Amino acid sequence: MADSTSVAERSDAHGEDGTRRDFLYLATGAMTAIGAAAVAWPLIENMNPSADVLALSSIEFDMSPVEVGQSVTVAWRGKPVFVRHRTPEEIAEANAVDISTLRDPQADSDRAEKPEWLVMVGICTHLGCIPLGQKSGDPKGDFNGWFCPCHGSHYDSSGRIRVGPAPRNLEVPGYEYLSDTLIKIG
Amino acid sequence: MDKFLQNPIVQWIEYRLPIFSFMNHSIVVYPTPRNLNYWWNFGSLAGIALTIQIVTGIVLAFHYTPQADLAFASVEHIMRNVNYGWLLRYVHANGGSMFFIVVFIHLFRGMYYGSYKAPREILWMLGVVILLMMMATAFMGYVLPWGQMSYWGATVITNMFTAFPIVGDWLTTLLWGGFVVDNPTLNRFFSLHYLLPFMIVGVVVVQLWGLHVHKPTNPLGIGMKGPQDSLPFHPYYTFKDMFGLGVFLLVFAWLVFFAPNLLGEADNYIPANPLVTPPHIVPEWYFLPFYAILRAIPDKLMGVIGMFGATLILFLLPWLDTCKVRSAKFRPFFKMAFWLFVADVLILGWVGKNSPEGMFIIIGRVASVYYFAHFLVILPLLGKFEPTRPLPESIGKPVLKGGGEMASGAVAAKMEKS
């Protein structure tokens, strides 16, 4: 082994050993990473909504008792959903706005499938407070819609942000009409 | 490592908090006896088992409700609704068993190789403290699902305190926070079940500190006399520990995925009912030998003392075994006594699993007496009369031919210095 003639052989063998060792290191490292990810996954995923929470993710709501000009708040996934039976004036106001001047441009027709019924999640898009304007005595803001008392966001009669820190319009949840006045939210 | 320590950021931290040299010293270059066998894996495995219990336990507490009316349902909620809840709970429940298996092997290894002897008595006693804390933690954890076995296990164990004269009833009421095991008991058990593992971590840290003072023992039970007797901890023992971990995880995974309820009691899937005791009450397997001792003694107070004494006597082991030779390798009679003791503990476990009737009463009593006789009679006598085999000169000598190249010449001179 130690004599000079075998030097070439040894370096060859060494080269091969190096490759094999590199492979083993990489394979070990890769398996360790996969194992760590497999362990981490359930430890994180368990924090997501559980089956019983997801089972409550859609509700049905009968809108027939809601009079024109009246608002009702229903709970969906623990969140308040505003259902407003809008007056013709409110619908006209909502349609009269030049959409290009809005912070979050959206036509009223894109927000309410049937113009007289506005359905949206009653959570301010700023930091999650519930805007005022559901009850008759509430301040409705400068645009005859909703006003968030936390940081002063004004929403119009279509629930679109007009003034204040909120970045987006009040969210319209996915919903469908099961009949003329029965909707399924979620 | 040297190159790593040259890094300016590393040096900046190192100057303020010498954590890198500390790590290098204690888990990289740390001189470890070169002859440690696989029985020395169980210390690190115990640490890993504790970590698994803490991590899964914290996550389970996200979903568990420690309230008597809701606890059982919340455990079922974990099993059925929570994403991977079944996995987390089965890992935690079986992890407790794995932790005990590992710790029992660790403890028996310490007994076989005389790890408790000077200067490691405090290490051993800290280990017994950890064992006691583990038992308390495991017991209180078993109460949390609030099934029939939880409830009646809690009732039986806490009732042991009524055996103490005068203060017994007062003490038990204090433990319960009521007149029976009830919601207040569940609340405090949950709180303590969460607290104790972190206290165990504290004792483990102290134990490791002590371990690093005199280094681990080894199968020969003789000290390291020089560098030829040791190997750096990394990579030799890091990889040996990792291989052992792989085997441990295989067994653990088999238990979790193929037999998750093997070590549990079916009765614990019945919600707790304070008005009906299940026909056959048994504790978890790791308490069975102690349970057998409790039942073997036909007196309430003495039974409780015997049961606690069976663990507490371990504190005295360093002084009951007076033999100067550590390892059972060189103590032929102690070796036999050791295996008889292991068999005795297994028999006690078997007796504990069965109803205390007929022959089990006799066997339980004989095995209980032998348990204490091992410590109080056999070990002191062996220490006095046992002829021990001669010890090798050094750890290196049997493995390095004729004392090894290193052991002679230059290194021998080094040895004398050290």
Side-chain angles (χ1 to χ4, degrees):
Chain A
M1 279 290 275
D3 61 319
S4 55
T5 51
S6 64
V7 166
E9 271 174 52
R10 280 173 68 200
S11 64
D12 262 7
H14 180 79
E16 233 170 59
D17 273 359
T19 322
R20 193 181 297 167
R21 174 145 297 190
D22 287 347
F23 171 76
L24 284 172
Y25 269 131
L26 283 172
T28 311
M31 277 312 290
T32 309
I34 293 168
V39 167
W41 181 252
L43 290 174
I44 294 164
E45 178 60 18
N46 79 86
M47 290 193 273
N48 265 324
S50 54
D52 58 321
V53 172
L54 293 176
L56 296 173
S57 62
S58 69
I59 57 161
E60 287 176 16
F61 179 61
D62 178 14
M63 303 191 293
S64 56
V66 184
E67 306 278 342
V68 176
Q70 198 185 1
S71 290
V72 167
T73 306
V74 293
W76 170 64
R77 287 183 179 174
K79 297 175 183 183
V81 169
F82 292 171
V83 178
R84 182 161 179 82
H85 198 165
R86 292 193 292 185
T87 60
E89 301 86 69
E90 286 171 343
I91 298 168
E93 264 176 0
N95 282 316
V97 182
D98 176 7
I99 292 168
S100 61
T101 65
L102 295 174
R103 183 177 299 166
D104 182 8
Q106 210 175 12
D108 187 59
S109 55
D110 292 336
R111 296 180 53 78
E113 203 177 314
K114 295 183 182 177
E116 61 269 33
W117 294 107
L118 182 64
V119 179
M120 56 191 186
V121 176
I123 291 179
C124 181
T125 57
H126 181 222
L127 292 172
C129 293
I130 301 175
L132 298 170
Q134 285 292 86
K135 291 182 194 142
S136 51
D138 279 354
K140 286 174 156 295
D142 296 346
F143 300 89
N144 195 28
W146 288 265
F147 170 69
C148 184
C150 289
H151 307 93
S153 290
H154 298 254
Y155 296 92
D156 67 14
S157 59
S158 184
R160 291 173 297 202
I161 181 65
R162 301 295 286 270
V163 169
R168 281 174 289 105
N169 303 332
L170 290 178
E171 184 199 343
V172 176
Y175 65 93
E176 57 177 326
Y177 283 91
L178 299 177
S179 74
D180 263 4
T181 52
L182 184 68
I183 57 166
K184 184 183 174 190
I185 305 171
Chain B
M1 194 65 194
D2 285 341
K3 206 175 165 192
F4 176 75
L5 289 173
Q6 297 297 311
N7 182 307
I9 298 168
V10 171
Q11 281 188 331
W12 188 91
I13 298 170
E14 177 72 20
Y15 180 68
R16 284 150 184 86
L17 184 74
I19 182 132
F20 299 108
S21 55
F22 174 76
M23 301 256 288
N24 186 42
H25 171 75
S26 45
I27 58 170
V28 180
V29 295
Y30 183 67
T32 313
R34 67 184 302 149
N35 58 335
L36 297 189
N37 57 31
Y38 277 110
W39 299 113
W40 263 262
N41 277 46
F42 289 86
S44 74
L45 282 180
I48 289 163
L50 175 62
T51 311
I52 292 173
Q53 289 306 88
I54 289 178
V55 171
T56 53
I58 288 171
V59 173
L60 284 170
F62 293 170
H63 308 285
Y64 171 76
T65 312
Q67 208 280 336
D69 297 328
L70 305 170
F72 186 88
S74 76
V75 172
E76 283 309 298
H77 161 73
I78 289 168
M79 293 301 288
R80 292 155 193 255
N81 295 329
V82 174
N83 306 315
Y84 297 100
W86 58 273
L87 177 62
L88 295 166
R89 175 164 172 263
Y90 280 153
V91 168
H92 195 72
N94 289 293
S97 287
M98 291 302 289
F99 195 7
F100 271 102
I101 292 172
V102 163
V103 162
F104 284 149
I105 295 174
H106 188 61
L107 189 146
F108 279 119
R109 189 272 288 158
M111 284 181 155
Y112 186 86
Y113 292 109
S115 302
Y116 46 82
K117 292 187 183 181
R120 297 184 184 83
E121 298 96 324
I122 292 178
L123 275 189
W124 173 261
M125 292 166 83
L126 287 170
V128 181
V129 168
I130 292 172
L131 178 64
L132 286 169
M133 290 166 85
M134 274 176 69
M135 287 173 160
T137 312
F139 159 65
M140 289 190 285
Y142 193 65
V143 174
L144 302 185
W146 213 240
Q148 275 290 66
M149 279 295 165
S150 299
Y151 185 88
W152 291 102
T155 300
V156 168
I157 300 285
T158 49
N159 259 307
M160 284 176 194
F161 292 92
T162 62
F164 293 107
I166 305 163
V167 294
D169 285 328
W170 174 83
L171 190 62
T172 313
T173 308
L174 183 78
L175 279 175
W176 288 339
F179 306 108
V180 287
V181 173
D182 205 343
N183 191 51
T185 327
L186 177 60
N187 282 174
R188 65 194 59 179
F189 278 15
F190 177 66
S191 172
L192 295 173
H193 180 74
Y194 207 116
L195 168 70
L196 276 174
F198 294 97
M199 293 175 65
I200 293 177
V201 170
V203 183
V204 168
V205 169
V206 177
Q207 206 193 18
L208 284 174
W209 178 27
L211 179 72
H212 279 221
V213 175
H214 287 289
K215 311 283 187 294
T217 49
N218 60 75
L220 295 177
I222 53 178
M224 289 185 285
K225 290 178 180 147
Q228 76 283 2
D229 286 348
S230 72
L231 290 171
F233 191 78
H234 179 78
Y236 293 96
Y237 288 110
T238 44
F239 277 84
K240 191 162 184 162
D241 278 352
M242 280 212 274
F243 177 76
L245 174 63
V247 176
F248 166 83
L249 290 177
L250 275 180
V251 177
F252 196 175
W254 173 79
L255 208 50
V256 167
F257 293 110
F258 294 94
N261 288 305
L262 178 71
L263 300 169
E265 282 295 324
D267 272 13
N268 218 29
Y269 286 100
I270 302 168
N273 182 351
L275 303 178
V276 180
T277 305
H280 185 51
I281 285 264
V282 272
E284 288 286 82
W285 67 268
Y286 35 80
F287 291 135
L288 288 175
F290 305 103
Y291 191 62
I293 293 174
L294 169 77
R295 295 194 305 194
I297 304 171
D299 176 86
K300 188 170 174 180
L301 180 60
M302 288 314 290
V304 172
I305 290 173
M307 195 191 75
F308 286 116
T311 312
L312 296 177
I313 201 165
L314 294 171
F315 279 116
L316 301 177
L317 182 56
W319 294 277
L320 292 172
D321 179 2
T322 51
C323 182
K324 294 280 174 245
V325 176
R326 285 204 189 91
S327 175
K329 264 192 170 163
F330 308 105
R331 301 182 61 190
F333 293 95
F334 172 77
K335 196 190 257 184
M336 279 191 277
F338 170 83
W339 288 113
L340 280 173
F341 178 71
V342 172
D344 186 58
V345 171
L346 292 176
I347 288 169
L348 280 171
W350 171 62
V351 169
K353 184 84 190 162
N354 287 285
S355 283
E357 291 166 308
M359 64 157 185
F360 287 111
I361 297 179
I362 313 292
I363 299 173
R365 285 183 187 161
V366 172
S368 297
V369 169
Y370 186 82
Y371 183 97
F372 288 101
H374 174 80
F375 291 103
L376 298 173
V377 180
I378 296 173
L379 287 184
L381 286 181
L382 283 179
K384 252 193 166 142
F385 300 111
E386 185 179 27
T388 56
R389 294 198 183 121
L391 294 173
E393 271 172 54
S394 75
I395 295 172
K397 191 141 191 177
V399 271
L400 306 168
K401 286 165 252 158
E405 288 168 44
M406 287 174 78
S408 59
V411 186
K414 220 188 225 172
M415 275 168 63
E416 279 155 36
K417 267 186 234 160
S418 60

